[in-house]
Amino acid sequence: MHTPQIRNQRRSNTAEFHIGNKGGSMFGLRYAKASPSTYLIQYRNGQPVREGTGLAFFYFAPNASLVSVPLESVDVAFMFNEVSSDFQEVTVQGQVTYRVADPKLLASLMNFTLKPNGEHASEDPSRLPQRVVNAAQVQLRSVLSGQTLQELLRGSERLVQTVREGLRRPDGLPSLGLELVNLSVLAVRPNPETARALEATVREQILKQADDATYLRRNSAIEQERSIRENELNTEIAVETKKRQIRETQLEAERAALEKRQQIQHQEMAGRIELEDRNKALTSLRMENAQKEADAKAYAVASVMKAVQGIDPKVLQALTVGNADPGALIAMAFQGLAENAERIGELNITPDLLQQLTGKGHAQARG
């Protein structure tokens, strides 16, 4: 085992405490002044009469003694060698930070009495960091002896947590009146031979992992390519299925439109047939009506002819003169002239006379 190495120890009691003479040394009256980070206890005849931080007072030196306990935090670096559970030498390097929590308890366990010149009368204050490091080493040793080297190298945080809990137990630093502020493990290193062996093992593992990663990447690329090809085929199948659905929909729409057109044509044909039937019925009815009207007219003419059958035509002509049309009368007059033409020597009808006769006849007809 190697002796723990302690670094960065901070201790300056002369800068924290001042003692001076007042009125000469022959009277034994002295003046004491402590900083706010120093706990000062004055004993008179073996009994404490004054204590606290940042005190300033006069005291009689022959029957008084002063105890000065610094309260500021102290950082102590350590580095020591231990053995793991698999018998591998391990070097642990770290730092522990502590402060005085109970100065009266610490003063009762260690000598912090001051000399007349303000320095401590014993070496106990300078030995306190070593006692703290020893306590930390005891806790670390109990943890290191229960874990293998690889567990220690992988789980330094667990190591720190376990040592902190051990130092904060009542039988740890609190038994000295101290309080653990922080504990940090900066490094856990094996010896060089073991480190090279571990490096080789880890290197082989890393290379194996790299090879595995290469194979996995290739397999993944093949899987990805196959997945892409399957997706493309699925997409083509989906597209063809959609096209087929579209064609079926179009054919269904065309069939529905054709059926609709056929229904419309059937309806139009039925309408035309019904219209022709109605026209046929109308034509038959018109023919019947025309036949009846013709029969009625024929019967009327026959009745008239039967009534005037024995009457002289001239008498009938004379009877119709009063109601005859002027044009008809003129025509009858010319007809009479034509019948008796052998008896007429000469007949002159001028255009003016003919115009007057026809014009007068038209005027009477309009009137």
Side-chain angles (χ1 to χ4, degrees):
M1 300 297 175
H2 295 277
T3 303
Q5 300 180 9
I6 302 175
R7 301 189 183 95
N8 299 331
Q9 179 180 347
R10 296 188 291 108
R11 181 68 59 202
S12 178
N13 292 309
T14 56
E16 299 172 355
F17 185 78
H18 172 73
I19 296 177
N21 295 329
K22 185 67 175 178
S25 59
M26 59 179 297
F27 297 103
L29 188 62
R30 294 179 178 274
Y31 174 74
K33 180 180 180 182
S35 66
S37 61
T38 301
Y39 194 89
L40 185 64
I41 304 175
Q42 179 186 1
Y43 287 89
R44 181 183 300 163
N45 297 325
Q47 298 295 327
V49 295
R50 184 184 289 113
E51 60 182 279
T53 58
L55 297 180
F57 56 88
F58 291 98
Y59 67 97
F60 187 62
N63 65 349
S65 61
L66 301 179
V67 175
S68 174
V69 180
L71 301 181
E72 74 273 7
S73 62
V74 179
D75 300 328
V76 182
F78 60 85
M79 183 175 65
F80 45 83
N81 297 332
E82 293 293 340
V83 178
S84 63
S85 62
D86 53 354
F87 306 103
Q88 297 296 322
E89 185 176 355
V90 180
T91 301
V92 180
Q93 181 179 358
Q95 177 176 286
V96 60
T97 303
Y98 69 93
R99 61 180 297 273
V100 178
D102 190 348
K104 296 180 66 176
L105 176 60
L106 180 61
S108 65
L109 297 176
M110 301 183 71
N111 186 7
F112 280 83
T113 305
L114 296 178
K115 296 179 180 180
N117 60 0
E119 297 180 356
H120 284 103
S122 68
E123 298 294 330
D124 286 353
S126 60
R127 295 171 183 168
L128 181 60
Q130 181 62 46
R131 297 188 64 175
V132 173
V133 171
N134 292 338
Q137 184 178 8
V138 170
Q139 298 296 329
L140 283 170
R141 182 176 299 164
S142 63
V143 177
L144 295 175
S145 62
Q147 295 183 356
T148 63
L149 176 60
Q150 293 186 355
E151 291 175 349
L152 293 174
L153 294 177
R154 288 194 298 263
S156 61
E157 186 61 30
R158 179 183 175 184
L159 173 66
V160 172
Q161 185 66 26
T162 304
V163 175
R164 284 177 181 173
E165 293 176 356
L167 292 177
R168 287 171 177 170
R169 285 199 297 264
D171 58 345
L173 295 184
S175 63
L176 297 175
L178 303 178
E179 177 186 3
L180 179 65
V181 177
N182 188 27
L183 173 69
S184 59
V185 175
L186 304 179
V188 178
R189 293 191 297 267
N191 58 35
E193 293 79 6
T194 305
R196 284 192 293 270
L198 292 175
E199 289 176 0
T201 303
V202 173
R203 186 182 305 108
E204 293 298 328
Q205 292 179 354
I206 293 174
L207 293 176
K208 184 178 180 300
Q209 292 176 358
D211 294 338
D212 294 340
T214 302
Y215 298 146
L216 290 175
R217 184 169 62 252
R218 291 178 181 176
N219 292 334
S220 177
I222 294 173
E223 291 292 334
Q224 291 291 334
E225 185 177 358
R226 183 177 65 183
S227 177
I228 292 172
R229 184 56 183 167
E230 289 179 356
N231 291 335
E232 291 177 353
L233 293 176
N234 292 333
T235 302
E236 293 178 359
I237 293 173
V239 170
E240 293 298 328
T241 303
K242 182 62 69 176
K243 289 181 179 179
R244 185 185 65 185
Q245 293 177 355
I246 292 173
R247 287 195 298 270
E248 291 177 354
T249 304
Q250 291 176 350
L251 292 175
E252 186 67 22
E254 292 177 359
R255 186 179 64 81
L258 181 59
E259 291 179 354
K260 194 67 176 179
R261 286 196 297 269
Q262 290 178 354
Q263 291 178 0
I264 294 173
Q265 291 176 358
H266 291 164
Q267 291 177 359
E268 290 179 354
M269 184 65 68
R272 291 178 181 178
I273 292 172
E274 184 179 359
L275 180 60
E276 291 297 332
D277 292 338
R278 290 184 180 181
N279 289 335
K280 181 179 179 181
L282 179 60
T283 302
S284 299
L285 183 59
R286 286 179 177 177
M287 290 175 62
E288 290 177 0
N289 292 335
Q291 185 66 36
K292 291 180 180 180
E293 185 178 357
D295 292 342
K297 289 181 178 181
Y299 178 76
V301 171
S303 299
V304 173
M305 292 299 294
K306 185 178 180 180
V308 298
Q309 185 175 6
I311 301 175
D312 188 6
K314 293 184 178 181
V315 175
L316 292 175
Q317 187 176 5
L319 290 174
T320 58
V321 169
N323 296 325
D325 185 34
L329 294 177
I330 295 172
M332 291 173 61
F334 279 104
Q335 183 178 2
L337 292 175
E339 291 177 354
N340 298 312
E342 68 277 2
R343 299 179 182 179
I344 301 173
E346 184 180 355
L347 177 61
N348 292 323
I349 299 176
T350 62
D352 294 335
L353 176 61
L354 182 59
Q355 185 177 2
Q356 289 179 0
L357 292 175
T358 56
K360 185 177 179 181
H362 287 305
Q364 290 178 357
R366 286 194 298 270

